[in-house]
Amino acid sequence: IMMCGGASLNSDTQRFIQTALCVTLFQGYGLTETCAAATIADQYDTSVGRVGYPLVSCEIRLRNWDEGNYKNTDKPNPRGEILIGGKVVAQGYYDETSNENINFIEINNTKYFCTGDIGEMYPDGTLKIIDRKKDLVKLRSGEYVSLSKVEMVVNKFSIVENSCLYAAPSAEYSILLINPNQKEITNYAQRNFGEKQWQNLIDDEKFNDMILKNLQDICKKNGIEKFETPQRIKIVNESWTPETGLVTDAFKLKRKAIELKYKDYIQQLYYEKPIHEPTKRRTSRVAPEPQPQQQPIAIETIELSNNVINKNR
């Protein structure tokens, strides 16, 4: 028996591991604020992609999140933000982080923690994590983009070691920063462009366009909507490790740190084409190196409920 926790496990990966290694692989779910485990799958449950049943030590509620169109009255299965309650819930955050205690609430004399995760409850009582409340960004068109859902699909591409999807609320599309797998991207560059040093192609438009096309095909194959699919990419050469401060010790993205480090590239990916540029020329999907003679769109960054909002002025 193998058990997985700490991050969402892709259904295809779970099924593959069970088949290839001939083991039972099931998932659990919980948070530090709930003393770890809150749900765990039964070892005889043959389904994949779910995190199992609530433990006897806690209670699970699904709270409506109207903005994301998730309701506990949804059919065929209730959906909503997962609230974990019971004596397993911590008293709150300590000292400087105590301002985050708004995530701890009381319902019918029971203390609950608001996880920010979106869950779906099946008729047999098992829970499935389907989204992340804090990872939803609303585009100018009014559509919501789930960052982590798209990243999970993008990371299936062999040349991608890690990725960070970024969607400015004032923009009409999302962009993608790619931390490549060095071995796979080297093979990709040599196979398709005859170049042994992929770094020589990092700003090559054809190279980036081919990778973008491959990524978009993968997104389409895995059910990602067109408005969710990244329209521009930037491949970065730096490693994303806990030492660089761009990911946690569990290798989860530190989005704020990534946005700050690559803010110039993000700005260029959303760069407005100069008026004097010939209209017949196709706008590159590659983020060009910042040019001093060009005047990029000024970006004002404000902090609002732990989300960074970029507004074009």
Side-chain angles (χ1 to χ4, degrees), residues 17-50:
I17 293 295
Q18 290 185 143
T19 305
L21 301 184
C22 197
V23 297
T24 298
L25 173 62
F26 54 93
Q27 297 189 68
Y29 168 72
L31 301 93
T32 303
E33 294 86 347
T34 63
C35 296
T39 69
I40 191 170
D42 187 273
Q43 61 175 311
Y44 299 110
D45 186 357
T46 59
S47 64
V48 294
R50 305 183 197 177

Side-chain angles (χ1 to χ4, degrees), residues 21-264:
L21 301 184
C22 197
V23 297
T24 298
L25 173 62
F26 54 93
Q27 297 189 68
Y29 168 72
L31 301 93
T32 303
E33 294 86 347
T34 63
C35 296
T39 69
I40 191 170
D42 187 273
Q43 61 175 311
Y44 299 110
D45 186 357
T46 59
S47 64
V48 294
R50 305 183 197 177
V51 294
Y53 306 92
L55 297 177
V56 295
S57 58
C58 68
E59 300 176 359
I60 301 288
R61 285 175 178 261
L62 296 181
R63 182 171 65 177
N64 290 345
W65 188 40
D66 295 331
E67 191 176 1
N69 200 29
Y70 292 111
K71 300 180 184 296
N72 52 29
T73 55
D74 286 346
K75 304 294 182 182
N77 300 319
R79 302 184 302 172
E81 180 185 4
I82 300 171
L83 307 186
I84 301 175
K87 294 182 178 180
V88 297
V89 177
Q91 292 182 7
Y93 295 117
Y94 177 69
D95 200 17
E96 295 180 356
T97 57
S98 60
N99 62 325
E100 293 293 327
N101 282 338
I102 57 173
N103 293 319
F104 294 90
I105 63 175
E106 190 171 300
I107 303 176
N108 298 332
N109 297 320
T110 299
K111 194 167 191 175
Y112 283 85
F113 178 71
C114 307
T115 67
D117 293 319
I118 305 299
E120 178 180 0
M121 190 67 75
Y122 282 76
D124 61 0
T126 58
L127 182 68
K128 182 177 182 180
I129 312 300
I130 58 174
D131 222 326
R132 175 72 179 161
K133 185 177 178 181
K134 294 180 180 178
D135 283 348
L136 288 177
V137 177
K138 187 177 182 179
L139 298 177
R140 189 180 355 178
S141 60
E143 302 284 1
Y144 282 91
V145 176
S146 174
L147 305 180
S148 56
K149 182 180 76 172
V150 178
E151 288 163 353
M152 187 178 298
V153 170
V154 166
N155 291 347
K156 291 182 178 182
F157 192 13
S158 61
I159 72 167
V160 178
E161 184 72 24
N162 209 341
S163 64
C164 180
L165 190 73
Y166 181 85
S170 60
E172 297 179 350
Y173 57 88
S174 62
I175 62 176
L176 185 72
L177 300 173
I178 299 175
N179 176 222
N181 180 295
Q182 298 293 326
K183 180 180 178 181
E184 292 295 334
I185 197 170
T186 298
N187 293 337
Y188 184 92
Q190 189 167 2
R191 181 172 63 252
N192 294 288
F193 293 87
E195 176 61 63
K196 294 182 179 180
Q197 298 293 327
W198 71 268
Q199 292 85 350
N200 295 335
L201 299 172
I202 197 168
D203 292 321
D204 184 86
E205 185 174 340
K206 291 183 178 179
F207 178 69
N208 283 270
D209 278 353
M210 179 178 287
I211 291 177
L212 177 62
K213 178 64 166 58
N214 293 153
L215 286 172
Q216 291 175 337
D217 289 343
I218 292 174
C219 287
K220 184 177 181 180
K221 182 180 178 182
N222 286 271
I224 300 298
E225 298 289 343
K226 187 175 181 180
F227 67 85
E228 297 177 297
T229 304
Q231 299 300 313
R232 295 188 178 184
I233 63 171
K234 176 61 182 179
I235 303 173
V236 299
N237 199 17
E238 300 85 1
S239 297
W240 292 0
T241 64
E243 290 73 23
T244 61
L246 300 178
V247 294
T248 66
D249 291 338
F251 282 86
K252 295 180 180 179
L253 297 178
K254 291 185 176 180
R255 296 189 185 276
K256 179 65 175 178
I258 292 175
E259 289 169 14
L260 289 176
K261 181 175 179 61
Y262 300 109
K263 61 181 180 180
D264 290 339

